[in-house]
Amino acid sequence: MQKMDVVIIGGGMVGLTLAAALGQTTLRVAVISHTAFSQPLSAAPSLRVSTINEANHHALAKLQVWQQLPEDRIAAYQHMHVWDKDSFGHIHFDARDTQSPQLGHIIENQVLTNALVAQIQHLRNVTLIEASVDKILSGDQETMLMLNNDEVVSCQLLVGADGANSMVRRHAGFPETFKDYDHRAIVATIRTPQPHQTCARQVFTPDGPLALLPLKDPHLCSVVWSQQTDKAEALIALSDTDFAHAMTAACNSELGAITLESERRAFTLTMRYARQWADNGIAIIGDAAHTIHPLAGQGANLGMQDALDLAEHLVKVHEAGQPLGRYKDLRAFERARKTEAMKMIAAMDGFKALFAGDNPLKKLIRGTGLALTNEVPLVKRKLIEQAMGF
Ligand SMILES: Cc1cc2nc3c(=O)[nH]c(=O)nc-3n(C[C@H](O)[C@H](O)[C@H](O)COP(=O)(O)OP(=O)(O)OC[C@H]3O[C@@H](n4cnc5c(N)ncnc54)[C@H](O)[C@@H]3O)c2cc1C
């Protein structure tokens, strides 16, 4: 039997961020994933990318993870342009108005997880285990995990970073609130005749937002096109050429006539949050605790902050010589992170509702709101600080 202090189930961006942060301590940590921790990269950018905000960029650099990222697979963006297709409203953010050389980075999810794994492999106190968990037995002082490779691992604290369908959340019996956004997100890589000039673009159409995220190649963008389910299905049914035409029209030919560079994949979007995140010996973080609309690219960012906050909390408890995993100690972490997630969920709901449809009053509010925000430096700075994670 392997005896650990903390066992993390889930080898995604969030679970691995927690492992990298706990790797700075003397705690014994294991991460269990039923899929391979790192994967070879193909030459073409993969479909799943994330905008990583500046707060997480700095945190990952402190953990020596950022240094493991291949230069040619990370794309910094200096500008952000957001507009409403149906009104005169638009807003432009520029990194020159901030203290930072960029507003954020676009990174393929697999590139980031590979970098996290590369760094974790230098850490003596973290063990990576590729296996499925057959059974979780929770006791008063410790939790036992039976793995499908016949190994048994015990720990003081079990952390579920095992994504939206978390088995840890189900095992703990944490209730969740669930809402279908009635949106599907179509993701793809596109080529544009005009260069993106390191600008992240987002257009709000009456049926949902379309984001064009600049990749390293100045003519390639990763797109996330969220649409009402029926409209998304109609778009998926189109030929590649017709789909590219529809997208060119949706973004007012901002970068010229778009062509598809990859297959398309669609994701059903649901809002979920667990009403409880911790109990004695157990905690959940990342998508296991919350999933939000990707329109502001914040799900993974929020999850990484859960991981960093939990690590900070565990270090304090450990340094105080206390056992890990007492709910009375985990409560402050739970309260703080739940509040952040709720704020983000509410903001996404508000954006989605405001920008949906073509009600003339909403159009006026959108147009005036965006135009005014663009003109008021203080409000604009506040917004950009939020987006950068500060
Ligand atoms: C279209 C789209 C675009 C997005 N864009 C952005 C963006 O730009 N920026 C952003 O911040 N967020 C974005 N997000 C959200 C982001 O992708 C997620 O929030 C993030 O991937 C969650 O990471 P996670 O590690 O919590 O979960 P996951 O990525 O789901 O990882 C969970 C891991 O746990 C493993 N696992 C699951 N069950 C078990 C088990 N029983 N045993 C062992 N292992 C298990 C899985 O194999 C997986 O490796 C987007 C989401 C979508 C759908």
Side-chain angles (χ1 to χ4, degrees):
M1 181 168 81
Q2 299 195 60
K3 222 170 155 50
M4 298 287 165
D5 297 308
V6 180
V7 169
I8 303 160
I9 302 189
M13 289 182 275
V14 173
L16 291 171
T17 298
L18 177 61
L22 293 178
Q24 315 290 313
T25 69
T26 54
L27 290 168
R28 294 159 306 170
V29 179
V31 190
I32 300 174
S33 177
H34 58 192
T35 48
F37 281 99
S38 56
Q39 304 264 1
L41 298 173
S42 56
S46 47
L47 283 186
R48 295 301 307 273
V49 308
S50 293
T51 50
I52 299 300
N53 67 27
E54 283 299 276
N56 282 321
H57 165 202
H58 294 169
L60 290 170
K62 220 164 141 193
L63 297 175
Q64 304 295 314
V65 173
W66 199 263
Q67 294 77 340
Q68 307 283 346
L69 288 165
E71 258 299 308
D72 59 340
R73 301 296 277 247
I74 52 175
Y77 58 96
Q78 274 79 30
H79 308 271
M80 210 190 309
H81 188 204
V82 180
W83 72 101
D84 180 25
K85 189 165 168 56
D86 244 14
S87 75
F88 49 91
H90 76 105
I91 186 162
H92 189 94
F93 299 105
D94 189 325
R96 281 174 300 192
D97 299 332
T98 72
Q99 308 284 324
S100 169
Q102 63 275 317
L103 298 176
H105 290 83
I106 313 293
I107 307 180
E108 294 156 64
N109 293 2
Q110 193 59 55
V111 169
L112 185 48
T113 45
N114 282 1
L116 281 156
V117 170
Q119 174 55 18
I120 288 168
Q121 279 165 344
H122 296 299
L123 305 170
R124 291 249 202 95
N125 58 329
V126 184
T127 310
L128 299 177
I129 305 173
E130 275 178 21
S132 295
V133 178
D134 282 342
K135 208 168 192 179
I136 305 174
L137 297 171
S138 295
D140 281 347
Q141 309 291 327
E142 63 177 5
T143 298
M144 307 271 252
L145 303 166
M146 320 287 172
L147 309 187
N148 68 337
N149 58 7
D150 294 332
E151 272 186 52
V152 179
V153 187
S154 75
C155 59
Q156 293 181 58
L157 178 68
L158 172 65
V159 181
D162 47 348
N165 296 315
S166 169
M167 83 180 279
V168 177
R169 186 186 61 228
R170 283 197 308 273
H171 168 79
F174 295 159
E176 57 168 345
T177 295
F178 176 95
K179 188 176 89 182
D180 189 345
Y181 279 124
D182 188 25
H183 262 189
R184 294 191 83 193
I186 306 170
V187 299
T189 308
I190 57 159
R191 182 170 289 282
T192 60
Q194 289 161 37
H196 52 58
Q197 297 183 306
T198 68
C199 180
R201 293 170 172 82
Q202 175 136 284
V203 51
F204 284 93
T205 75
D207 299 316
L210 164 62
L212 285 83
L213 308 172
L215 296 175
K216 195 75 179 179
D217 180 322
H219 292 275
L220 289 187
C221 287
S222 174
V223 292
V224 182
W225 197 0
S226 308
Q227 287 275 294
Q228 255 168 250
T229 305
D230 53 340
K231 302 270 166 55
E233 273 158 16
L235 281 173
I236 293 161
L238 293 176
S239 69
D240 283 0
T241 313
D242 289 346
F243 178 80
H245 286 163
M247 193 180 288
T248 305
C251 66
N252 312 90
S253 308
E254 269 272 300
L255 297 173
I258 290 168
T259 48
L260 268 182
E261 188 80 5
S262 74
E263 54 163 337
R264 294 168 260 164
R265 266 179 68 193
F267 296 84
T268 300
L269 301 180
T270 45
M271 182 280 281
R272 272 202 191 88
Y273 76 87
R275 296 200 293 280
Q276 192 178 347
W277 291 28
D279 202 346
N280 283 317
I282 209 155
I284 53 171
I285 55 175
D287 273 21
H290 48 75
T291 59
I292 61 169
H293 199 290
L295 71 86
Q298 290 295 338
N301 284 303
L302 207 55
M304 283 193 257
Q305 285 298 321
D306 298 342
L308 296 165
D309 274 25
L310 181 59
E312 206 179 302
H313 160 85
L314 294 176
V315 168
K316 275 193 206 139
V317 174
H318 183 55
E319 282 174 358
Q322 301 294 331
L324 301 176
R326 292 185 307 184
Y327 181 47
K328 73 184 184 75
D329 298 324
L330 289 166
R331 222 180 267 160
F333 148 80
E334 181 189 40
R335 204 176 304 127
R337 293 313 302 164
K338 260 173 89 173
T339 307
E340 286 307 307
M342 288 306 301
K343 280 200 258 176
M344 194 63 81
I345 286 168
M348 293 312 106
D349 276 7
F351 269 120
K352 186 176 167 285
L354 178 65
F355 283 93
D358 49 12
N359 175 310
L361 181 62
K362 275 210 240 174
K363 273 195 331 202
L364 182 68
I365 297 172
R366 297 197 299 247
T368 325
L370 282 173
L372 271 176
T373 308
N374 198 38
E375 296 307 320
V376 183
L378 196 67
V379 180
K380 219 169 139 176
R381 195 161 341 119
K382 275 265 162 245
L383 268 181
I384 197 63
E385 278 169 8
Q386 282 280 335
M388 292 167 83
F390 296 125

